[in-house]
Amino acid sequence: MTQATIPLSSRPIRFAALNSAHHRLALNIYMVIVLAHWAEHLAQAFQIWALGMPRPKALGALGMAFPWLIRSEWLHYGYALVMIAGLILLRPGFVGRARTWWTVALVIQFWHHIEHLLLLLQWQTGTFLFGATAPTSILQLVVPRVELHLFYNSIVFIPMVIAVYLHLRPNASEAERMSCACAGDRSAAPANP
């Protein structure tokens, strides 16, 4: 029996509540964290392309206050872990089409997490891959870091937004299988498309 087919009442209570009674709240908190991270990347992009700051000095809002935190790789890796944890922990609350899109975001974020793990390990050990002079991820060999992370965040965020949209607007079949009240009144759920 897979996790998807185990009734929520049979799962540990903390996950049952997270993906039933508290799913909407947990999802909202998670999305605020995701949007705050987006704001950091957009601030950095603005500093580079609108203000003309050199890339090493364009550290986003947090980096301007805490430059050591941005340069240490710990903040980046910590965020990658928070993303993975949120995608995994909130996944049982999604059903049908929304779950498919949420899973797409999870798979992409897993790879993004691997890239950040490589960066963190290089920073911690002082041993850089590919003969680089600084921590370098695999795809960073072909795409500059700022652009690469804007890309990664986009390709994780887009399926997440689609998943949340579909989760809040389930068809009748999906509404019957939902264990949370995220969609509101399920009697008003649209028929199967």
Side-chain angles (χ1 to χ4, degrees):
M1 188 175 267
T2 66
Q3 179 77 1
T5 59
I6 298 172
L8 282 177
S9 59
S10 302
R11 296 181 194 167
I13 191 70
R14 63 189 176 275
F15 294 112
L18 183 65
N19 287 292
S20 56
H22 303 299
H23 194 248
R24 182 93 183 230
L25 175 63
L27 188 57
N28 286 343
I29 291 169
Y30 182 65
M31 293 307 284
V32 166
I33 293 167
V34 170
L35 290 173
H37 184 251
W38 255 115
E40 278 296 312
H41 279 286
L42 293 176
Q44 183 184 37
F46 182 80
Q47 289 168 341
I48 293 168
W49 295 311
L51 300 179
M53 292 175 78
R55 287 175 186 256
K57 295 199 183 284
L59 302 174
L62 273 177
M64 298 310 277
F66 308 103
W68 59 269
L69 186 59
I70 299 297
R71 292 188 181 110
S72 74
E73 297 294 340
W74 277 108
L75 179 68
H76 305 286
Y77 185 69
Y79 175 74
L81 283 178
V82 167
M83 283 294 294
I84 284 282
L87 287 164
I88 290 169
L89 291 173
L90 294 172
R91 187 172 177 261
F94 288 85
V95 298
R97 300 165 301 155
R99 186 180 181 101
T100 299
W101 283 101
W102 196 259
T103 302
V104 167
L106 173 60
V107 169
I108 297 167
Q109 180 59 30
F110 179 77
W111 173 252
H112 189 186
H113 162 263
I114 296 297
E115 291 263 272
H116 275 293
L117 180 59
L118 284 172
L119 291 167
L120 178 66
L121 291 173
Q122 290 173 73
W123 183 81
Q124 288 288 101
T125 63
T127 304
F128 307 128
L129 299 178
F130 318 111
T133 58
T136 305
S137 67
I138 294 170
L139 289 181
Q140 196 176 331
L141 294 172
V142 289
V143 180
R145 186 168 178 160
V146 172
E147 290 82 350
L148 178 61
H149 283 89
L150 285 171
F151 172 73
Y152 271 141
N153 286 296
S154 297
I155 65 171
V156 171
F157 186 67
I158 290 169
M160 283 176 60
V161 169
I162 294 169
V164 170
Y165 177 84
L166 293 171
H167 183 65
L168 297 176
R169 291 160 186 79
N171 61 35
S173 170
E174 293 164 342
E176 289 175 10
R177 293 182 288 148
M178 289 177 71
S179 59
C180 65
C182 290
D185 181 12
R186 294 193 186 130
S187 64
N192 283 335

